[in-house]
Amino acid sequence: MDPNNQINSAGIVLYVVHFGIPSFLLLKNKFNSRDFSVAKGHIEKNEKIFETIKREVFEETNLSENDYIFDDEMEFKFCHEIIPTKRIPLGKKTVFLKVARIKKESIKKIKLSREHTKYVFANLLLSKKLIKLQQLKDTLNQINTQLLLRLKKN
């Protein structure tokens, strides 16, 4: 692995609750047609993580900060090796994720960017089938557990 190829990205796990079960917004990548993921992207030079998240979610879904409610108690970070492609050499990627609930009236505003071909709202079981990256699956599992515990209390 090339220690000089370090990529940092930030994103958001957007969700809704249907019949007491969290469903996550997953986007299908146009360039990797077998993989779904959450809205995320590279942190630009001099950009803060929170700025990246807001920019990426708007670019990829057309949702603005007014369309979702951040969960200030949930933040996640994981690292994984980058699988090399023609454009990207082998390296390491660090992913920072926040969590937010989409306002129900905002779901109809979702409009995908050119880098995605479709979106789905998926419960944890379906999410684990659609997502290839194990670290993201593990993170969604943690988020789902925390959300279900909160829903039980209410």
Side-chain angles (χ1 to χ4, degrees), residues 71-76 97-99 143 146-147 150:
D71 185 323
D72 294 329
E73 295 178 22
M74 284 200 265
E75 286 186 14
F76 297 87
L97 292 174
K98 292 280 289 171
V99 179
I143 294 167
Q146 289 185 38
L147 291 173
R150 287 185 191 168

Side-chain angles (χ1 to χ4, degrees), residues 55-148:
R55 176 180 54 78
E56 286 293 336
V57 75
F58 183 74
E59 288 175 5
E60 295 185 6
T61 68
N62 195 48
L63 296 177
S64 71
E65 194 176 354
N66 296 325
D67 294 315
Y68 47 89
I69 302 165
F70 279 102
D71 185 323
D72 294 329
E73 295 178 22
M74 284 200 265
E75 286 186 14
F76 297 87
K77 174 182 160 184
F78 61 82
C79 299
H80 66 90
E81 284 189 19
I82 298 169
I83 299 169
T85 65
K86 291 179 184 175
R87 299 181 302 134
I88 303 169
L90 183 67
K92 182 180 174 185
K93 184 182 229 180
T94 301
V95 180
F96 301 90
L97 292 174
K98 292 280 289 171
V99 179
R101 181 179 57 80
I102 301 174
K103 296 177 181 176
K104 290 203 190 265
E105 64 272 13
S106 297
I107 293 171
K108 63 183 177 285
K109 292 173 71 174
I110 296 171
K111 193 184 306 180
L112 296 178
S113 68
R114 291 184 184 151
E115 67 184 275
H116 297 98
T117 58
K118 71 187 267 189
Y119 72 89
V120 296
F121 281 96
N123 64 19
L124 182 62
L125 184 63
L126 181 56
S127 295
K128 287 181 171 184
K129 290 180 181 178
L130 296 173
I131 295 169
K132 304 294 179 240
L133 186 62
Q134 187 60 49
Q135 292 88 337
L136 182 54
K137 290 181 188 185
D138 295 342
T139 301
L140 287 184
N141 194 51
Q142 292 176 54
I143 294 167
N144 191 69
T145 299
Q146 289 185 38
L147 291 173
L148 288 174

